[in-house]
Amino acid sequence: MRLLYNLAMYLFTPLVMLRLMARGMRYGDYHVRWRERFGSFPTPRLSGCLWVHAVSVGEVNAAEPLVKALMEAYPHAPLLVTTVTPTGSERVRQLFGDRVHNLYLPYDLPFAVRRFLRNTRPRLAVIVETEIWPNLYFACRRHGIPLLIANARLSERSLRGYARMSSLVRRALRCVSHIAAQSRTDAARYRLLGAEPSQLTVCGNLKFDMPVPQAALEGGRTMREAWGDGRPVWIAASTHEGEEMCVLEAHLDVMRRLPDALLLIAPRHPERFRAVETSVRSLGFTVATRSAHGAPGHTTQCFVIDSMGELLRFYAAADVAFVGGSLIPIGGHNVLEPAALYKPVLVGPHTFNFEEITEALLGAEGGERVADGDGLGTAVLSILRDEPRRLAMGRAARQVFESERGSVGKVMTLVDDLLQE
């Protein structure tokens, strides 16, 4: 199975490179730092580093409180944060600047992984959320590097995917020192993949421990003052192709009853910024964008957030938040950020990536699920027009967020134990 896996990786790598080239046509950062994807880079002083891997923006945001805890607990250890996407790399720079080293994780090719570990020589590897890369895991074991999967989640869909190569995944998981699962359901799914009970601890979700920057709150208040405090405002965050038109049609429904309503729309991927702006204009909305106008004006009907790393500020400025990736079978995105800011949360039917958190939010009446795009406008309008309900939902959402905090401390206990061993 491992031989077949390696053969597939070698065969598919050229196709992945072509895909990166194509994406680079719309987002130029995909064209740079390609050598890092094969484990080759100018060797900084990384020997003995603490290494955290976070695939993209969502995982980097989840890892933020853990990375800061590592900085505080081990101030003299170099800290390396790897990502897969340019947007993830950009988010690392925004959050941590030059306090951490940032590289792309190499492809899971034996020679690339060996080169990467030879150049970095980490004391500890922390993989955030769902990444299982067999060659990387085997290499960490050979080099004696403790490996921790933190904030570990495993959706039903991922479980089915990994089950197709169960023997290889089982061997890879035996190389893991410990798995800090987000929930009992995630822990059970890792058991089905072959993890031993002694490897598993349910630690909760790191995202519950994320800080809410005062600057984001103040920025939200300032924007509300600029475009009119009394305007009803909703945000559609982390949207995907196939969802944006549903969101825009929902906003048309909202504006029929609330003509001064404002929609903030934040596409998930930068390469979609221009396409979403074009769609908005084609429907006749008065449009402004983050890059061209900075903030919405009094007459703006739809504001396209064509920037990265600013969602908290715009969540703070909105009355209601719809979290994307849930009207289509992507599996949903982070509902905790709006919950932390006392915002009622709307999601679609597909939330398997954040199953237990979403159910907790819905159960506490801090959020609401819509069956499809046709029901989105009605749900938004209902909440915008009922202030007591809106405020009650926001308080309930925040209570769910507060009740689940403490994951970072549990994960840091595991980190300390592994480093002492």
Side-chain angles (χ1 to χ4, degrees):
M1 179 60 74
R2 189 175 177 189
L3 179 63
L4 290 173
Y5 172 79
N6 285 336
L7 178 61
M9 287 297 299
Y10 279 112
L11 290 174
F12 279 111
T13 295
L15 299 178
V16 174
M17 299 298 290
L18 287 172
R19 184 169 180 267
L20 288 181
M21 291 175 64
R23 297 189 78 174
M25 299 295 182
R26 290 180 289 178
Y27 190 63
D29 284 0
Y30 279 98
H31 283 161
V32 300
R33 297 166 56 192
W34 279 29
R35 292 180 63 195
E36 292 179 19
R37 299 185 184 276
F38 296 93
S40 181
F41 46 87
T43 308
R45 295 182 178 178
L46 285 174
S47 183
C49 67
L50 304 179
W51 164 38
V52 177
H53 174 61
V55 180
S56 192
V57 176
E59 291 81 9
V60 172
N61 288 336
E64 179 187 0
L66 177 61
V67 171
K68 289 181 175 177
L70 289 170
M71 288 178 177
E72 185 176 342
Y74 300 95
H76 303 298
L79 196 57
L80 169 65
V81 180
T82 58
T83 61
V84 170
T85 67
T87 51
S89 181
E90 183 180 334
R91 185 61 177 152
V92 171
R93 289 193 295 270
Q94 289 173 348
L95 289 175
F96 309 115
D98 59 3
R99 292 178 294 167
V100 305
H101 301 275
N102 174 234
L103 296 167
Y104 287 137
L105 185 75
Y107 295 130
D108 200 39
L109 301 166
F111 77 90
V113 168
R114 283 196 302 270
R115 184 184 293 160
F116 171 80
L117 293 179
R118 186 172 64 244
N119 288 338
T120 56
R121 300 183 184 278
R123 287 173 60 196
L124 173 71
V126 181
I127 310 296
V128 176
E129 296 204 356
T130 56
E131 297 291 287
I132 300 176
W133 297 112
N135 285 322
L136 181 65
Y137 284 23
F138 294 142
C140 283
R141 184 167 189 168
R142 280 198 306 273
H143 287 77
I145 301 166
L147 177 61
L148 170 67
I149 305 179
N151 219 41
R153 65 182 174 92
L154 196 64
S155 69
E156 187 68 34
R157 178 194 245 179
S158 296
L159 177 63
R160 289 196 300 269
Y162 284 128
R164 296 190 187 104
M165 47 181 189
S166 58
S167 62
L168 180 63
V169 170
R170 186 180 302 110
R171 287 184 57 210
L173 286 178
R174 298 296 165 84
C175 299
V176 177
S177 305
H178 211 84
I179 301 169
Q182 287 189 21
S183 69
R184 290 187 295 273
T185 300
D186 293 306
R189 287 172 179 161
Y190 273 98
R191 286 280 290 115
L192 290 174
L193 279 185
E196 296 290 343
S198 59
Q199 289 179 283
L200 287 157
T201 303
V202 177
C203 292
N205 194 321
L206 292 173
K207 291 179 181 177
F208 281 114
D209 286 7
M210 70 177 187
V212 180
Q214 191 62 30
L217 298 174
E218 292 171 358
R221 281 195 294 268
T222 300
M223 283 192 288
R224 284 303 292 252
E225 292 168 2
W227 65 54
D229 253 341
R231 295 188 70 182
V233 181
W234 68 291
I235 182 171
S238 298
T239 60
H240 290 255
E241 186 174 5
E243 290 185 309
E244 284 107 0
M245 194 56 68
C246 293
V247 167
L248 297 178
E249 290 173 353
H251 192 48
L252 288 173
D253 292 340
V254 170
M255 288 180 60
R256 289 188 186 101
R257 296 293 186 90
L258 300 172
D260 62 337
L262 171 64
L263 166 65
L264 313 173
I265 184 167
R268 177 72 175 179
H269 298 116
E271 55 266 32
R272 291 205 46 74
F273 289 164
R274 183 65 60 85
V276 171
E277 181 186 349
T278 300
S279 296
V280 173
R281 293 188 187 281
S282 71
L283 290 176
F285 290 108
T286 304
V287 186
T289 67
R290 179 64 171 157
S291 60
H293 305 93
H298 286 277
T299 60
T300 304
Q301 296 171 324
C302 186
F303 183 72
V304 181
I305 305 169
D306 55 351
S307 61
M308 301 300 293
E310 295 190 293
L311 263 184
L312 279 179
R313 178 182 302 180
F314 288 101
Y315 276 136
D319 298 309
V320 182
F322 165 71
V323 179
S326 59
L327 288 176
I328 56 176
I330 296 292
H333 294 296
N334 181 15
V335 296
L336 300 178
E337 290 179 338
L341 292 161
Y342 296 88
K343 305 302 174 183
V345 179
L346 293 172
V347 294
H350 306 287
T351 54
F352 50 80
N353 285 337
F354 296 89
E355 188 174 352
E356 291 202 7
I357 299 167
T358 304
E359 291 303 323
L361 196 63
L362 300 179
E365 299 185 351
E368 183 178 321
R369 190 187 298 279
V370 298
D372 50 38
D374 293 339
L376 181 58
T378 302
V380 171
L381 185 62
S382 173
I383 296 172
L384 287 177
R385 298 178 75 187
D386 188 344
E387 184 177 8
R389 179 186 174 214
R390 185 171 70 247
L391 295 176
M393 288 181 71
R395 288 192 296 270
R398 175 70 186 199
Q399 286 172 2
V400 172
F401 176 81
E402 289 289 349
S403 68
E404 297 291 336
R405 291 168 77 85
S407 176
V408 169
K410 296 174 184 176
V411 174
M412 283 301 296
T413 298
L414 296 174
V415 167
D416 295 339
D417 290 345
L418 290 174
L419 289 175
Q420 287 173 13
E421 288 174 10

